[in-house]
Coordinates of all heavy atoms in Angstrom, one line a residue:
T16 N -18.8 45.7 -14.0 CA -18.5 44.4 -13.3 C -19.7 43.5 -13.1 O -19.5 42.3 -13.1 CB -18.0 44.8 -11.8 OG1 -18.9 45.6 -11.2 CG2 -16.6 45.6 -12.0
S28 N -46.1 46.0 -11.0 CA -45.2 46.8 -10.2 C -44.4 47.8 -11.0 O -43.9 48.8 -10.6 CB -44.3 45.9 -9.3 OG -43.4 45.2 -10.1
R34 N -39.6 58.1 -12.9 CA -38.2 58.5 -13.1 C -38.4 60.0 -13.5 O -39.3 60.5 -14.1 CB -37.7 57.9 -14.3 CG -37.4 56.4 -14.2 CD -36.7 55.9 -15.4 NE -36.3 54.5 -15.2 CZ -37.0 53.4 -15.6 NH1 -38.2 53.6 -16.1 NH2 -36.5 52.2 -15.4
T50 N -14.3 49.5 -8.7 CA -13.0 49.8 -9.4 C -13.1 49.9 -10.9 O -13.6 48.8 -11.5 CB -12.0 48.7 -9.0 OG1 -11.9 48.6 -7.6 CG2 -10.6 49.0 -9.6
G62 N -28.5 62.3 -3.5 CA -28.9 63.5 -3.0 C -28.7 64.6 -3.9 O -28.1 64.4 -4.9
D76 N -24.7 62.4 6.7 CA -23.9 63.3 7.7 C -23.7 64.7 7.0 O -23.0 65.6 7.7 CB -22.6 62.7 8.1 CG -22.8 61.5 8.8 OD1 -23.8 61.4 9.6 OD2 -22.1 60.5 8.6
M94 N -18.0 58.6 -15.1 CA -18.0 60.0 -14.8 C -16.6 60.8 -15.3 O -16.3 61.8 -14.9 CB -17.9 60.2 -13.3 CG -19.2 59.7 -12.7 SD -20.7 60.4 -13.4 CE -20.6 62.1 -13.0
R97 N -13.2 60.7 -22.5 CA -12.1 59.8 -23.1 C -10.8 60.2 -22.8 O -9.8 59.5 -23.0 CB -12.5 59.6 -24.5 CG -12.3 60.8 -25.4 CD -12.8 60.6 -26.7 NE -12.4 61.8 -27.6 CZ -11.6 61.7 -28.7 NH1 -11.2 60.5 -29.0 NH2 -11.4 62.8 -29.3
V102 N -16.2 64.8 -15.6 CA -17.2 65.6 -16.3 C -18.6 65.3 -15.7 O -18.9 64.3 -15.0 CB -17.4 65.3 -17.8 CG1 -16.1 65.7 -18.5 CG2 -17.6 63.9 -18.0
I121 N -25.1 52.7 -0.6 CA -24.9 54.0 0.1 C -23.3 54.3 0.0 O -22.6 53.5 0.5 CB -25.2 53.9 1.6 CG1 -26.8 53.6 1.7 CG2 -25.0 55.3 2.3 CD1 -27.2 53.4 3.1
S124 N -21.3 51.4 -0.8 CA -21.4 50.1 0.1 C -22.8 49.7 0.0 O -23.7 50.5 -0.3 CB -21.0 50.4 1.5 OG -19.7 50.8 1.6
V127 N -27.8 47.2 2.9 CA -28.2 46.2 4.0 C -26.9 46.2 4.8 O -25.9 45.8 4.3 CB -28.7 44.9 3.4 CG1 -28.9 43.9 4.6 CG2 -29.9 45.0 2.6
N131 N -26.1 53.7 8.0 CA -27.1 54.6 7.8 C -28.4 53.9 7.1 O -29.2 54.5 6.5 CB -26.8 55.8 7.0 CG -25.8 56.8 7.7 OD1 -26.0 57.0 8.9 ND2 -24.7 57.1 7.0
L146 N -39.4 48.4 -0.7 CA -38.3 47.5 -0.7 C -38.8 46.0 -0.6 O -39.7 45.8 0.1 CB -37.2 47.8 0.3 CG -36.7 49.2 0.3 CD1 -35.6 49.4 1.3 CD2 -36.1 49.6 -1.1

Side-chain angles (χ1 to χ4, degrees):
T16 55
S28 67
R34 292 180 176 95
T50 302
D76 300 322
M94 299 306 295
R97 65 189 188 124
V102 293
I121 299 175
S124 300
V127 179
N131 294 318
L146 301 183

